[in-house]
Amino acid sequence: MLRVRFAPSPTGYLHIGSARTFIFNWLYARHHSGTMILRIDDTDIERNTQQSLDSIFEGLKWLDLEWDEFYRQSERDDLHRRAAEEILNKGFAYRDSEGVVRFRVPRETRAEVTFTDLVYGLQTKGTADIEDFALLRSNGAPTYHMASCADDADLRISHIIRGQDHLTNTFKHVLIFEALGVEPPKFAHLPLLIAPDGSKLSKRKHGPVVSVTTYRDAGFLAQSFVNFLCLLGWSPKNDREKMSRQELIDAFTLEGVNKSNATVNFTEEDPFDPKALWLNAEHLKTLPIEELAADLLPFAAEFHVSAEKMLKVAPLIQERIKTLKDVATVADFFFVDQLPPYDAAELIPQKGDLAMARLALEKSREILAATDFNHDALDAAFRAAAAELKIKPGQMFQPIRVAVCGRKNSPPLFETLVVLGRETSLKRIGEAIKKL
Ligand code: GLU
């Protein structure tokens, strides 16, 4: 039976590297119909905070990641102590002069400790290079090595998938498992996430780009962010990038995990990795419209938009946004009574003049007052008007677009007019004529 665990220490916000570790464990479990365990490694009372625990749950909830079993290490203290006693009683550990229980590394009888990592291959370390490490502190508190291995053994963890920074701990862990008389689990260490300058990602050094909730608040979709994290250090063999959850589960193998560290690309000006943004835009494009509209609503809260209105606007901007947050800059003109000020010069069509702008706007006032407010009727009426005025359709449309949206780039014009409605469209055309 395949059993894996994600074992965060609640000492900071949920780091994107930790989220990726959860995801790889979870994908492996789901791919093999195994069991996903969330174990909170909260034995370090000095450093644990409730805030950190909340941030872990908050991040996992946003990413929509679930687990099958849940444990808190602090509630399993007896088990950890008993395991240490067992090792002590079997003669594999001793109590030093300071009262610390230490593992007795068998340097006389054994030259090295080895294990085969499923990502990094055969790992060997001479016993001469492993110190007699602590299992219980002088106050009797189990160390990370002791608590972690006792739990992994008790929970019958079959595969330990964790960050590469734990690779060297694993020699000690192999010794502990053997001393407990259990077969060590299989190990798979994951390449680190690094910053463009090659340093390990850290909040202190790199700021909010390291925290999962930053991406939520910046308008990333959970499904695309999970997809992005998967591509940091793993790839499906066929170069696919945009993948759904089910596709990720189906494709995930540990063989696909790379050894080299994965770079998260960001700069001070562009805090988000271009690939994360690209993937997000791709996922946005295929989101069912009801879902998109519901996801956009909180990002337009300042405009007090109704759900019905958002449902109409969403299809017009679906292809034009990279993040949910873009709704506030791409679609604001749908939501406000009064357009933000724009430069009257924008109303002048390309290769046209003031007179042409006035002509187009005056004509559009007639059309908008008299035409059925649907795409096809408006389209036909405006094209006929352009022909009649002997100007190009593009020259006809630009002043109208700027008049109703306040900018040259907007969603398709006729759909936009339909959503804005007759009254608002006419009012804005009138204001534009006054501006000229
Ligand atoms: N609590 C450890 C950490 O957060 C767990 C390491 C492990 O997976 O064994 O790094």
Side-chain angles (χ1 to χ4, degrees):
M1 187 57 185
L2 187 141
R3 293 170 62 82
V4 293
R5 88 301 192 268
F6 170 60
S9 307
T11 55
Y13 55 93
L14 183 65
H15 186 290
I16 58 176
S18 303
R20 188 200 54 170
T21 300
F22 184 112
I23 292 166
F24 283 16
N25 275 282
W26 173 80
L27 289 174
Y28 197 58
R30 293 295 176 257
H31 183 98
H32 293 285
S33 308
T35 302
M36 174 71 202
I37 294 167
L38 174 58
R39 188 183 82 205
I40 305 294
D41 282 2
D42 56 351
T43 53
D44 190 345
I45 312 158
E46 317 252 285
R47 295 180 63 220
N48 294 334
T49 64
Q50 183 60 37
Q51 204 183 2
S52 163
L53 196 59
D54 293 344
S55 137
I56 292 170
F57 286 123
E58 197 185 340
L60 295 177
K61 181 171 172 238
W62 173 55
L63 295 172
D64 199 14
L65 296 167
E66 81 290 349
W67 49 92
D68 308 310
E69 295 176 19
F70 176 76
Y71 304 93
R72 266 172 182 265
Q73 232 174 22
S74 57
E75 291 167 0
R76 301 165 59 82
D77 192 61
D78 285 352
L79 179 102
H80 309 147
R81 286 172 201 256
R82 264 187 279 121
E85 295 297 330
E86 182 187 334
I87 295 174
L88 196 57
N89 292 339
K90 283 178 174 168
F92 294 121
Y94 61 93
R95 199 179 294 274
D96 73 8
S97 57
E98 259 123 62
V100 176
V101 173
R102 293 190 176 278
F103 196 91
R104 192 193 309 279
V105 177
R107 297 183 196 86
E108 268 83 62
T109 53
R110 185 168 177 176
E112 49 197 27
V113 179
T114 64
F115 64 94
T116 301
D117 189 84
L118 295 175
V119 174
Y120 289 89
L122 183 67
Q123 304 292 313
T124 305
K125 189 164 189 173
T127 46
D129 298 325
I130 307 174
E131 80 284 4
D132 284 354
F133 53 95
L135 300 178
L136 295 180
R137 299 196 177 85
S138 54
N139 65 3
T143 60
Y144 155 66
H145 300 306
M146 186 66 257
S148 185
C149 293
D151 276 336
D152 289 334
D154 181 69
L155 299 173
R156 302 181 321 284
I157 301 300
S158 63
H159 294 71
I160 293 183
I161 303 171
R162 62 183 171 195
Q164 193 252 28
D165 46 336
H166 286 289
L167 195 65
T168 54
N169 286 332
T170 306
F171 298 104
K172 294 174 183 167
H173 297 181
V174 168
L175 288 170
I176 296 178
F177 287 118
E178 289 177 1
L180 289 171
V182 301
E183 170 141 5
K186 298 209 167 25
F187 294 94
H189 287 86
L190 305 174
L192 298 180
L193 301 191
I194 55 172
D197 67 4
S199 64
K200 206 180 146 180
L201 277 187
S202 82
K203 176 132 183 184
R204 194 176 38 76
K205 189 156 178 225
H206 303 108
V209 287
V210 172
S211 168
V212 167
T213 47
T214 299
Y215 294 82
R216 176 196 64 189
D217 300 343
F220 283 81
L221 292 174
Q223 63 177 61
S224 88
F225 195 61
V226 166
N227 190 171
F228 170 67
L229 289 177
C230 287
L231 299 180
L232 292 173
W234 171 80
S235 56
K237 292 290 167 238
N238 50 17
D239 283 341
R240 254 191 318 166
E241 299 209 291
K242 186 200 167 205
M243 297 173 81
S244 70
R245 249 163 226 256
Q246 193 55 49
E247 287 168 338
L248 289 166
I249 291 171
D250 294 342
F252 188 80
T253 63
L254 289 174
E255 289 78 53
V257 176
N258 314 313
K259 289 195 187 79
S260 40
N261 292 337
T263 307
V264 181
N265 280 304
F266 57 87
T267 61
E268 242 166 86
E269 300 78 57
D270 295 308
F272 299 121
D273 190 308
K275 181 174 266 179
L277 285 166
W278 172 79
L279 269 176
N280 202 53
E282 292 302 303
H283 280 269
L284 283 165
K285 283 179 196 165
T286 53
L287 212 57
I289 220 66
E290 292 75 22
E291 230 178 283
L292 175 63
D295 287 347
L296 287 170
L297 267 183
F299 290 91
E302 62 186 291
F303 302 109
H304 308 288
V305 187
S306 70
E308 294 95 290
K309 178 90 181 237
M310 193 59 94
L311 208 49
K312 289 185 191 151
V313 170
L316 301 193
I317 62 169
Q318 184 162 30
E319 304 267 334
R320 310 174 63 85
I321 50 175
K322 282 203 168 120
T323 68
L324 296 166
K325 209 175 179 176
D326 288 344
V327 68
T329 46
V330 169
D332 55 332
F333 63 86
F334 283 113
F335 310 135
V336 294
D337 281 337
Q338 195 59 49
L339 278 185
Y342 59 89
D343 186 352
E346 306 258 285
L347 292 163
I348 313 237
Q350 233 170 358
K351 301 212 177 90
D353 54 17
L354 195 78
M356 191 188 278
R358 182 161 290 134
L359 206 59
L361 287 169
E362 295 286 4
K363 187 74 190 169
S364 71
R365 191 134 71 162
E366 274 170 45
I367 296 172
L368 292 174
T371 310
D372 274 353
F373 246 66
N374 65 64
H375 171 276
D376 291 353
L378 289 169
D379 184 284
F382 275 101
R383 282 179 202 281
E388 186 195 318
L389 299 175
K390 298 200 170 43
I391 62 177
K392 294 210 177 80
Q395 293 177 313
M396 177 83 198
F397 301 159
Q398 181 184 328
I400 300 159
R401 186 189 299 281
V402 173
V404 297
C405 308
R407 71 203 65 171
K408 282 186 190 156
N409 289 316
S410 80
L413 181 58
F414 304 119
E415 277 101 334
T416 299
L417 290 169
V418 171
V419 171
L420 283 170
R422 196 191 305 270
E423 200 188 324
T424 303
S425 302
L426 277 172
K427 178 173 147 267
R428 292 186 183 175
I429 299 282
E431 284 161 1
I433 291 173
K434 267 191 230 138
K435 260 172 162 314
L436 281 177

